């Protein structure tokens, strides 16, 4: 078990104030490393955007979409089950489900063919995936204080 005294000063001078006796989530070096990695991805994203072909054929297209929807179903189901049990960990599964739903909406609309396919994808994103993602994110946000 890690004690708060072991992390004394680990948050650094720019960290948000913490309650006394509550250890930080991670050592102070983790934040700058993740920030640096995020910034380092910018050139990679530019390279991908300029070098990838406009179209591609995916041999496992059906499995990719089915797998994403299965993960969404598991996230929603796990969140519901944990909420029914009054388990604060529901905030973690709710956030994962929210992210998956946003990814699904994004890729549905970006990969849809023009016309009815695109209209269907946009309708599904606006009427189902994005509102459900927002609800899950709100559940996650409201659940985090209880985890402390």
């Amino acid at each position: 078990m890690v004690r708060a005294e072991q992390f004394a000063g680990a948050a650094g001078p720019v960290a948000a104030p913490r309650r006394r006796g509550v250890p930080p989530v991670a050592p102070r070096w983790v934040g700058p490393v993740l920030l640096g990695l995020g910034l380092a991805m910018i050139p990679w994203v530019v390279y991908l955007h300029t070098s990838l072909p406009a179209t591609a054929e995916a041999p496992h297209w059906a499995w990719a979409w089915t797998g994403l929807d299965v993960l969404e179903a598991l996230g929603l189901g796990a969140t519901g089950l944990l909420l029914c049990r009054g388990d604060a960990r529901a905030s973690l599964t709710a956030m994962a489900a929210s992210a998956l739903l946003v990814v699904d909406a994004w890729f549905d609309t970006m990969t849809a063919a023009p016309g009815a396919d695109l209209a269907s994808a946009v309708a599904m994103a606006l009427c189902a995936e994005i509102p459900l993602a927002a609800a899950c994110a709100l559940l996650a946000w409201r659940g985090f204080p209880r985890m402390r």
Side-chain angles (χ1 to χ4, degrees):
M1 174 96 129
V2 177
R3 299 170 68 170
E5 296 83 17
Q6 293 173 302
F7 285 101
V14 294
R18 289 191 318 269
R19 293 184 312 198
R20 189 171 183 88
V22 177
V25 174
R28 70 176 171 184
W29 60 266
V30 173
V33 167
L34 292 176
L35 178 60
L37 290 171
L39 292 172
M41 286 188 68
I42 293 171
W44 174 249
V45 169
V46 171
Y47 168 75
L48 283 178
H49 185 73
T50 58
S51 66
L52 287 174
T55 61
E57 188 173 318
H60 303 293
W61 188 256
W63 281 109
W65 288 111
T66 305
L68 180 58
D69 286 347
V70 166
L71 290 173
E72 290 172 19
L74 289 172
L76 293 170
T79 301
L81 181 62
L82 290 169
L83 285 172
C84 286
R85 293 180 176 180
D87 193 326
R89 291 176 293 179
S91 60
L92 300 174
T93 57
M95 199 68 244
S98 177
L100 288 167
L101 287 159
V102 168
V103 167
D104 193 6
W106 175 261
F107 281 102
D108 279 346
T109 55
M110 293 296 108
T111 61
D117 191 28
L118 179 59
S120 174
V122 169
M124 188 71 156
L126 293 177
C127 296
E129 294 159 341
I130 298 301
L132 190 52
C136 286
L138 180 62
L139 282 171
W141 178 262
R142 292 180 64 180
F144 278 123
R146 291 185 303 178
M147 292 190 65
R148 293 184 190 156

